[in-house]
Amino acid sequence: MTDQNDINRAIQYWLDKSTIHVVPRWVGFAVCLALFFLRIYLIQGYFIIAYGLGIYLLNNFILFLSPLDLEEIDEKAGPTLPTSESEGKEYRPFTRKLPEFKFWLAVTKGTITSFFMTFFAVFDVPVFWPILLMYFGILFFMTMRRQIAHMYKHKYVPISWGKAKYKTAGEEQGMFGGGMAGAAKGRSE
């Protein structure tokens, strides 16, 4: 039992260390996904596993794009997400239903699990893969169209590119622009 606890503690330690390294984590996921699809291509089988992984990735992506209080928003009489301080008593930033780190962890675990499933013949169910690919494309298009319509209706954008930067930030304008630098000029002493 102690060995299992040590292993779990070591895994958690490395996961905690990786939280600040966003780009390397996603590059690692992309490599895992590329290896999975390379294996599918080379052995020309396990298409049902690839389809299941695609549905799983799409589901997690929708959770990643969705706000935490989606149930509140969808009620007809319920509140909507405020877009400015004047719309509500307090401005609440966008909070995801599935945070970025948990999203990365879930899709990486799913991809690695799917990769290992391709080593067992029991999961190689014969299917006509073009139908699965077409169905997944239609499902992706319909789901994303609904999600984008929901985002437009409730006026939220799930992606932010960091802190807002203003053109005149740090420049002194007028008597008191940029702080108290011009305060002595206008004061009679």
Side-chain angles (χ1 to χ4, degrees), residues 90-183:
E90 64 182 67
Y91 176 75
R92 292 182 297 161
F94 184 81
T95 306
R96 299 179 188 285
K97 194 174 264 192
L98 183 64
E100 183 269 335
F101 183 78
K102 289 184 179 181
F103 173 51
W104 168 80
L105 188 60
V107 297
T108 303
K109 281 181 180 178
T111 303
I112 291 171
T113 302
S114 298
F115 182 78
F116 283 114
M117 287 173 74
T118 62
F119 289 100
F120 300 100
V122 70
F123 297 115
D124 191 12
V125 178
V127 293
F128 187 58
W129 68 266
I131 296 293
L132 284 180
L133 185 62
M134 183 181 70
Y135 183 66
F136 178 76
I138 292 169
L139 185 65
F140 179 81
F141 175 75
M142 298 294 285
T143 305
M144 290 308 296
R145 186 178 67 165
R146 190 191 71 205
Q147 185 68 27
I148 291 169
H150 187 270
M151 289 162 43
Y152 182 74
K153 176 183 173 188
H154 297 291
K155 299 179 177 116
Y156 68 91
V157 179
I159 299 170
S160 65
W161 301 106
K163 189 176 176 180
K165 294 176 178 72
Y166 300 97
K167 292 179 184 178
T168 59
E171 294 178 17
E172 296 201 20
Q173 297 176 355
M175 184 187 292
F176 298 106
M180 297 299 290

Side-chain angles (χ1 to χ4, degrees), residues 67 69 73 79-84 87 92-94 154-157:
D69 51 358
I73 293 172
T80 61
L81 289 174
T83 55
S84 67
E87 285 187 29
R92 292 182 297 161
F94 184 81
H154 297 291
K155 299 179 177 116
Y156 68 91
V157 179

Side-chain angles (χ1 to χ4, degrees), residues 1-13:
M1 192 64 172
T2 304
D3 292 338
Q4 183 66 32
N5 289 340
D6 291 342
I7 291 170
N8 288 342
R9 198 173 308 125
I11 291 170
Q12 189 60 49
Y13 172 79

